[in-house]
Amino acid sequence: MNSIFCVEDDEGIRDLITYAVKSAGFVVEGFESAAEFEERLKSYMPSMVLLDIMLPDKDGIQILKDIRKNDATKNLPVILITAKGTEADKVKGFEHGADDYITKPFGIMELISRIKAVLRRSNAAGEDIIDYKGITLNNQSRSVKVDGEDVTITFKEFELLKYLMTHKGTVVPREVLLEKIWGYHFEGESRTLDVHIGSLRHKLGAKGKCIETIRNVGYKI
C-alpha cells in the first residue's frame, strides 16, 4: 500500500490533508516541521511527499533540493502544496524537481487525483537505457551522456528528454508534455516548456538539434 508523508505546519490544513489522503486508501503521516520529516525519512521511505514551501524551520524548496541531491531519495515523488501561486513560483518549484505543484486553497478531489496521477507516472516501468544518435539516457542512474561524455541536466529536463526519447519519431503536443512531465495545466500562456526545451538543447550541444519544434503543435525527437 502506498504511504504518503505530509509536511505542513498549519495544523488545520495538515489534518484536512491527512484525513482526505487516508480516506482515499493511503497510509499517511503528518509532520509540522522539516526537522521532524527529515528525521523520519532516515528510517522510512514513503511512496510520496506532500510538501509545503513556507515552513517555520526550513524552506520547502531547500528540502526539495536536498531530496533530489541525495541518492537514496532522488527519485522520491514530491508534490508542492503552497499559497505561493505565481507562475515564477511554479517554475522555480518544477525546476528544482517537483513532480506537481498545487496552490492553496485547493479541492480535495483534485488533490487525490493529482496524487494518483503522480504515483502512476512514478510506478510506470521504463527502459533502463535509451539511446538515440549518440544521446544515451540511463533511467536507473538518471544520467545522460552525449557521445560518451556526461551531461548535467536538471530533474525536469531529464524527465522531458526521457519522455521525448521514449516517443521518438512521434510529435508530442505541448499540452501532453505539460501534463505528463509537470502533471498540471498552466492557466493561460506559459513559457515553462519552451524554457526547458531551450535549456535542454543547449546542454546537449550539437545533438540538441535532434529536438525538433513542430510549429503550433509541440516537439519531437
Side-chain angles (χ1 to χ4, degrees):
M1 183 179 293
N2 287 310
S3 58
I4 296 177
F5 284 180
C6 173
V7 190
E8 167 64 64
D9 64 318
D10 186 302
E11 184 177 5
I13 296 176
R14 187 173 67 252
D15 288 347
L16 174 65
I17 292 174
T18 54
Y19 177 80
V21 171
K22 185 176 181 180
S23 298
F26 299 100
V27 174
V28 60
E29 293 184 41
F31 305 89
E32 67 177 355
S33 69
E36 288 183 355
F37 161 69
E38 291 175 337
E39 184 62 31
R40 176 63 170 137
L41 197 59
K42 293 177 183 178
S43 60
Y44 184 83
M45 181 67 67
S47 305
M48 173 184 287
V49 176
L50 305 177
L51 178 63
D52 186 18
I53 290 181
M54 294 180 286
L55 295 167
D57 56 341
K58 189 175 182 179
D59 181 73
I61 294 295
Q62 184 58 53
I63 296 174
L64 177 59
K65 291 163 67 175
D66 291 342
I67 288 173
R68 292 292 174 245
K69 69 183 182 183
N70 186 328
D71 286 340
T73 60
K74 64 183 181 182
N75 295 323
L76 176 62
V78 177
I79 296 179
L80 293 177
I81 302 180
T82 174
K84 303 178 72 172
T86 69
E87 182 170 333
D89 289 324
K90 292 179 181 179
V91 170
K92 183 178 180 181
F94 286 121
E95 182 66 24
H96 289 297
D99 293 276
D100 202 350
Y101 194 110
I102 299 176
T103 304
K104 300 174 185 175
F106 53 86
I108 293 300
M109 292 181 65
E110 179 187 7
L111 171 65
I112 300 303
S113 177
R114 291 196 180 195
I115 288 173
K116 291 179 178 179
V118 170
L119 286 174
R120 282 196 301 270
R121 294 200 301 272
S122 175
N123 295 331
E127 300 176 65
D128 287 345
I129 303 293
I130 307 172
D131 189 83
Y132 181 74
K133 293 187 176 180
I135 304 172
T136 304
L137 184 146
N138 188 314
N139 200 37
Q140 290 296 316
S141 64
R142 296 188 66 83
S143 61
V144 173
K145 292 179 182 291
V146 172
D147 293 334
E149 297 293 326
D150 289 324
V151 175
T152 301
I153 63 177
T154 67
F155 184 84
K156 283 300 175 186
E157 288 168 353
F158 181 92
E159 292 299 314
L160 181 57
L161 179 61
K162 175 183 170 183
Y163 195 86
L164 289 172
M165 289 184 71
T166 54
H167 295 81
K168 55 182 177 285
T170 301
V171 179
V172 184
R174 293 174 57 85
E175 58 270 21
V176 171
L177 287 171
L178 283 169
E179 177 63 28
K180 296 298 183 182
I181 308 304
W182 282 271
Y184 78 109
H185 292 290
F186 269 134
E187 293 293 334
E189 180 64 24
S190 167
R191 283 186 44 78
T192 297
L193 176 58
D194 303 319
V195 169
H196 279 74
I197 289 288
S199 177
L200 191 53
R201 282 173 171 155
H202 176 73
K203 292 177 181 179
L204 294 177
K207 301 296 183 181
K209 64 184 179 182
C210 290
I211 303 176
E212 298 180 31
T213 299
I214 309 303
R215 189 174 177 83
N216 298 324
V217 181
Y219 298 94
K220 79 169 183 177
I221 281 186

